[in-house]
Amino acid sequence: MKRFFLRAGRLWCMGLVLFLLRLVQNRTGFDPATGLSLPCLPGTLLVAGLVLCAIAELVLFLRLPKTKTSFACQFAPPEKETSLAAAGSLLLACGGVLLAVTALPQREIAGIAAGVLAAAAGAGLLLLFKKFRAGEEPAVSMMLPALFFSVVFVLAVYLPAESDPVLARFYIPVLASAMTAYAFSQLSGFLRKEGSPRAFVFTGDMAVLLCLTALAGSGGLGRTLLFAGCALVLTVFLLLRRDEALLEEEESDETEPLA
């Protein structure tokens, strides 16, 4: 239980607080007539909370090893986490379908592409978790749809808001999608034996926090499901991360010369 709280529980507790602050800001921090941002306590507390969370994650960041490792060395096969992994993957797939269907009438190319890639990402992650749980080494191809989706998702979130002069209205979803793309790129690196535990934990933790915050007024059911799916999937990988002691032991066994 302590391990669960340190790896994921604390993130979801902090994310819930940030979500509530963002929800109140969306309802009270903008002028109903002009849509302009108004000074409000929830908005100020939200920014302060994000800064404090980033500082706390940086402290944790410096305590982690910066050596590059492989996927099998860094993550343990899912057991109790399987249901969370399946839920996160399905949310990505369902959110992708909804986003694509919503973007199709407006011919939003980025939204359609992100939706299609999200559906593929959900299927790829389901296959990855299934093979990894069976003791097989996951292939890079299983993670590529999620990596491509996360990059295109940044465009799908930013482009509709690029002409909006009110930064406070859209900065959270843009930050959430950008940090998610960074986290998925770090995660993909482990499949090429180039992943850094230090970089992944920082980006993964911040992506989970920002995705949970972005659930408050994310701009449509499709995007809401996608942010929730990304938060769940990244939470699963953070839970599956091996302890540093075990990680170092396995790495030393791999590098030990044959007699």
Side-chain angles (χ1 to χ4, degrees), residues 117-134:
L117 288 170
L125 288 168
L126 277 175
L127 183 59
L128 183 147
F129 285 121
K130 180 181 178 181
K131 283 189 171 292
F132 194 42
R133 191 181 183 207

Side-chain angles (χ1 to χ4, degrees), residues 25-85:
Q25 182 192 23
N26 286 339
R27 296 189 177 185
T28 64
F30 300 95
D31 190 313
T34 63
L36 296 177
S37 178
L38 300 173
C40 66
L41 182 60
T44 303
L45 291 177
L46 175 61
V47 174
L50 287 172
V51 171
L52 289 176
C53 287
I55 293 173
E57 293 303 324
L58 280 175
V59 173
L60 177 62
F61 169 90
L62 296 174
R63 297 172 55 188
L64 294 172
K66 59 181 179 180
T67 55
K68 295 181 178 181
T69 63
S70 66
F71 189 89
C73 286
Q74 179 63 29
F75 301 104
E79 294 178 359
K80 297 179 181 179
E81 301 86 358
T82 303
S83 58
L84 288 177

Side-chain angles (χ1 to χ4, degrees), residues 244-259:
E244 282 69 32
L246 179 60
L247 180 61
E248 291 175 0
E249 180 180 345
E250 291 197 0
E251 287 179 340
S252 63
D253 290 342
E254 289 181 358
T255 56
E256 184 177 350
L258 296 176

Side-chain angles (χ1 to χ4, degrees), residues 72-158:
C73 286
Q74 179 63 29
F75 301 104
E79 294 178 359
K80 297 179 181 179
E81 301 86 358
T82 303
S83 58
L84 288 177
S89 302
L90 290 174
L91 283 174
L92 278 178
C94 294
V97 172
L98 284 174
L99 181 63
V101 170
T102 305
L104 193 58
Q106 285 77 31
R107 297 182 180 180
E108 296 179 2
I109 303 301
I112 296 171
V116 172
L117 288 170
L125 288 168
L126 277 175
L127 183 59
L128 183 147
F129 285 121
K130 180 181 178 181
K131 283 189 171 292
F132 194 42
R133 191 181 183 207
E136 302 177 28
E137 183 74 17
V140 179
S141 58
M142 301 175 191
M143 182 61 67
L144 285 180
L147 178 60
F148 292 147
F149 150 71
S150 63
V151 174
V152 178
F153 189 43
V154 179
L155 296 177
V157 171
Y158 173 72

